[in-house]
């Protein structure tokens, strides 16, 4: 069986995410359904800028046996397998340490998505997955329990995020939307706190400094 095309797509997606600063060194990982039985996933601890299609692991979705690729699969391959099994409508599952959304996970709560333009790709909330150490079966199990058909973004407490989607490019777009939604939350929180102060003009000044009016939505 030829796995060349999906492997090339995964490498291209990793380069795109690395250029955006979403992968933070060798952190983060990308998975892509190949057919009903197989999925491709990035190898563990590999520099994305030197990674080649042959480095991408191909695993069976049912028992996680590696059928192609000499390297060891990402430590989060179980997490991606749970997502791809539960969400038959999704071809891609991506985990990142993107800066703003990862900072949001320190709050330990789900994010309500109030803006309709963000709800369309993400759903009405980004669900919280409670903390478990990276790469463990416990973390994969906690994600599995949180998976819902209508939610495409998951916040891994004190860690990073996972998004799923029908294609790799749409999933990258969802990660970008999640980053915008979290940025809007923080901007709103800063402005809201300022408005509690004694000088009501301060919040107006902050709004201008933060360009809140330029945002598509401020939550
Ligand atoms: Zn991670």
């Amino acid at each position: 069986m030829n796995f060349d095309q999906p492997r090339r797509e995964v490498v291209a997606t990793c380069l795109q995410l690395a250029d955006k600063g979403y992968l933070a060194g060798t952190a983060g990982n990308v998975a892509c359904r190949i057919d009903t039985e197989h999925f491709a996933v990035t190898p563990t601890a590999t520099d994305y800028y030197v990674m080649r299609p042959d480095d991408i692991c191909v695993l069976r979705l049912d028992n996680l046996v590696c059928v192609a690729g000499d390297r060891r699969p990402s430590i989060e391959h179980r997490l991606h397998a749970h997502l791809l099994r539960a969400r038959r409508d999704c071809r891609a599952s991506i985990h990142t340490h993107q800066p703003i959304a990862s900072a949001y996970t320190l709050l330990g709560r789900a994010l309500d998505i109030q803006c309709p333009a963000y709800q369309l790709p993400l759903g009405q909330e980004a669900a919280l997955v409670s903390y478990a150490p990276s790469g463990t079966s416990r973390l994969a199990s906690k994600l599995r329990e949180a998976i819902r058909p209508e939610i495409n973004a998951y916040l891994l407490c004190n860690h990073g995020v996972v998004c799923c989607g029908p294609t790799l490019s749409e999933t990258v777009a969802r990660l970008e939307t999640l980053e915008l939604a979290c940025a809007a939350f923080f901007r709103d929180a800063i402005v809201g706190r300022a408005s509690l102060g004694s000088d009501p003009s301060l919040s107006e000044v902050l709004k201008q400094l933060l360009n809140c009016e330029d945002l598509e939505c401020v939550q």
Side-chain angles (χ1 to χ4, degrees), residues 131-154:
Y131 180 76
S134 301
T136 59
S137 298
R138 264 182 66 211
L139 178 61
S141 297
K142 282 172 181 277
L143 174 79
R144 183 180 57 192
E145 289 162 15
I147 295 171
R148 298 287 178 273
E150 69 282 7
I151 293 180
N152 299 323
Y154 298 87

Side-chain angles (χ1 to χ4, degrees), residues 27-29 76 95-97 134 156 159-160:
N29 26 77
E76 305 291 10
H95 164 52
T96 74
H97 292 185
S134 301
L156 308 181
H159 178 177

Side-chain angles (χ1 to χ4, degrees), residues 50-182:
V50 299
M51 196 168 64
R52 298 170 314 135
D54 284 350
D55 294 328
I56 304 299
C57 307
V58 177
L59 274 59
R60 287 192 58 86
L61 194 54
D62 55 358
N63 58 13
L64 304 181
V65 168
C66 191
V67 298
D70 296 331
R71 307 179 74 104
R72 289 175 54 208
S74 157
I75 57 170
E76 305 291 10
H77 66 277
R78 293 182 205 88
L79 179 149
H80 294 299
H82 283 318
L83 201 41
L84 294 174
R85 286 175 192 145
R87 293 289 303 270
R88 298 277 170 188
D89 57 317
C90 291
R91 184 169 169 252
S93 169
I94 302 179
H95 164 52
T96 74
H97 292 185
Q98 58 196 67
I100 301 174
S102 297
Y104 183 91
T105 72
L106 300 175
L107 299 175
R109 63 194 203 200
L111 174 69
D112 279 336
I113 310 290
Q114 293 168 3
C115 170
Y118 297 165
Q119 282 177 355
L120 200 63
L122 299 179
Q124 296 207 343
E125 70 164 24
L128 179 71
V129 177
S130 61
Y131 180 76
S134 301
T136 59
S137 298
R138 264 182 66 211
L139 178 61
S141 297
K142 282 172 181 277
L143 174 79
R144 183 180 57 192
E145 289 162 15
I147 295 171
R148 298 287 178 273
E150 69 282 7
I151 293 180
N152 299 323
Y154 298 87
L155 303 164
L156 308 181
C157 191
N158 299 353
H159 178 177
V161 306
V162 180
C163 277
C164 56
T167 62
L168 283 165
S169 59
E170 174 59 26
T171 308
V172 170
R174 289 176 180 184
L175 290 163
E176 290 173 318
T177 303
L178 178 61
E179 196 73 347
L180 288 174
C182 290

